[in-house]
Amino acid sequence: MIIRTKYTKEEREIVKELRPIDDTLFRTMAKGNIILVEHIVRLSLNRDDIKILSVNTQDDIHLFKDSHSVILDCLAVDSEGNLYNIEVQATNTGNLRKRARYISSAIDVKYTLEAGEKDYNKIKDQIVIFLMEDDIFDKGKQLYEFKRYDDQSKLSLDDGSRIIYINAKNKGRKELDNLMQSLISSDYKTMKDDVIRECTMYYKTSEIGEDEVCEAMREYAAKSFNSGKTEGKAEGKTEILLDLVNKGTITLDYAIENSKLPKEEFLSIAETLGYKL
């Protein structure tokens, strides 16, 4: 019998409680999974003609030395070259409106035009999709879609840029209801979306799948932590780990261990930053 000792009991317990809307599990599920990502994109846009060709997860966009980096949850490209950035958000932390703007601009700079290219007509459409547990706009809608337009005439700018927020709090289209219900569930047996359920079951019940999530959890914590160090903020490293704790991605003890700080110092910084643990 093979004894699996690479990952701790605590890490395996975290995996059991993770939901698809939690960063670590979602990125693991979406990695190279064209069927899953295409399913989510089609439901989000209410179109069945979109064909996804490639999927990239956890891409770290750090364009300039002194700029804030962005770690994408999932970036997909369709058969027309259009870009879809899918972001999962289990908790309402930070200014998600400004975050969406920053993510969108970073994707444009990195992916839409090559160096020396001057033909802006070659820029393909870019759609950012936020899958969220809460309704951050509190207007009772399930889906909010934003495009640029003239405020007075309502004339669309038609620049190919869209940001969509979908929440699990409110009901709407049945297919979206099932998708969002499944994303916020930790028990695959209760999930109503067949694609999400089958994928979640693999990572919850198979040894290989569980190991992949454990490894992703370690890599994500380390990458986020190192990103904080790169940006040179004294409290940045601790704040990133605390955000992961708030999202349910890691436990507090796991965050302290990965911070390489004494527990008292870590908790003191957390208190200074306003986190209630």
Side-chain angles (χ1 to χ4, degrees):
M1 181 179 69
I2 299 176
I3 300 176
R4 300 158 70 209
T5 58
K6 183 176 181 181
Y7 304 104
T8 66
K9 180 180 178 181
E10 181 186 21
E11 288 171 323
R12 297 190 184 283
E13 289 299 320
I14 293 174
V15 172
K16 292 179 181 178
E17 297 302 320
L18 285 177
R19 305 167 300 166
I21 203 169
D22 295 319
D23 293 16
T24 302
L25 182 55
F26 179 79
R27 292 178 181 183
T28 306
M29 289 170 57
K31 186 177 181 180
N33 195 336
I34 290 178
I35 293 176
L36 173 68
V37 174
E38 186 175 88
H39 175 67
I40 292 174
V41 170
R42 286 182 172 186
L43 288 183
S44 299
L45 274 64
N46 198 21
R47 289 176 52 187
D48 59 8
D49 61 330
I50 296 172
K51 182 66 176 177
I52 297 298
L53 297 184
S54 66
V55 176
N56 183 16
T57 55
Q58 204 166 330
D59 184 20
D60 189 352
I61 302 180
H62 199 169
L63 298 173
F64 308 106
K65 179 181 178 181
D66 296 325
S67 67
H68 176 72
S69 65
V70 174
I71 302 178
L72 304 181
D73 285 345
C74 176
L75 184 68
V77 182
D78 71 9
S79 57
E80 304 296 324
N82 300 315
L83 299 168
Y84 303 86
N85 172 223
I86 303 174
E87 296 289 318
V88 292
Q89 190 71 30
T91 57
N92 184 11
T93 56
N95 190 326
L96 297 181
R97 299 169 179 83
K98 293 292 182 68
R99 179 184 169 193
R101 168 185 164 184
Y102 192 83
I103 290 174
S104 178
S105 62
I107 292 173
D108 267 345
V109 173
K110 181 171 182 178
Y111 290 105
T112 56
L113 288 181
E114 297 180 357
E117 179 60 66
K118 298 181 180 180
D119 185 2
Y120 290 97
N121 289 317
K122 292 186 177 181
I123 297 179
K124 298 296 183 177
D125 289 356
Q126 186 214 124
I127 302 172
V128 177
I129 302 171
F130 270 91
L131 303 174
M132 311 180 63
E133 187 161 9
D134 297 321
D135 177 3
I136 64 171
F137 303 103
D138 200 26
K139 298 297 182 181
K141 294 176 58 179
Q142 179 187 63
L143 185 149
Y144 301 86
E145 181 174 351
F146 297 92
K147 301 178 183 179
R148 293 185 175 93
Y149 62 88
D150 176 63
D151 190 47
Q152 292 185 342
S153 68
K154 306 303 179 185
L155 174 68
S156 173
L157 186 60
D158 195 24
D159 64 347
S161 174
R162 300 158 64 187
I163 298 177
I164 298 173
Y165 297 84
I166 305 172
N167 67 80
K169 182 178 180 180
N170 304 312
K171 298 294 184 181
R173 283 190 283 119
K174 183 178 179 180
E175 295 81 7
L176 269 186
D177 291 344
N178 293 342
L179 173 68
M180 299 309 297
Q181 176 272 336
S182 300
L183 288 175
I184 64 173
S185 175
S186 61
D187 183 359
Y188 68 89
K189 297 177 183 177
T190 68
M191 295 178 178
K192 298 179 180 179
D193 185 289
D194 293 340
V195 176
I196 302 296
R197 182 177 63 249
E198 291 297 318
C199 190
T200 304
M201 181 172 66
Y202 170 77
Y203 288 103
K204 294 274 190 173
T205 63
S206 72
E207 292 184 357
I208 295 176
E210 185 182 272
D211 284 352
E212 285 185 38
V213 182
C214 286
E215 182 62 25
M217 185 164 54
R218 287 186 178 183
E219 291 178 354
Y220 185 27
K223 193 170 187 178
S224 298
F225 183 72
N226 289 332
S227 174
K229 288 195 293 186
T230 300
E231 289 165 19
K233 298 179 181 178
E235 297 87 6
K237 300 169 290 185
T238 300
E239 185 172 14
I240 289 170
L241 290 171
L242 287 167
D243 282 341
L244 297 180
V245 173
N246 273 355
K247 291 177 181 179
T249 306
I250 59 177
T251 65
L252 178 59
D253 289 341
Y254 192 75
I256 294 172
E257 178 184 350
N258 280 270
S259 73
K260 311 302 181 185
L261 297 172
K263 182 177 181 179
E264 295 75 14
E265 182 178 351
F266 184 93
L267 294 177
S268 176
I269 294 176
E271 184 179 358
T272 300
L273 293 172
Y275 285 85
K276 297 180 180 180
L277 304 175

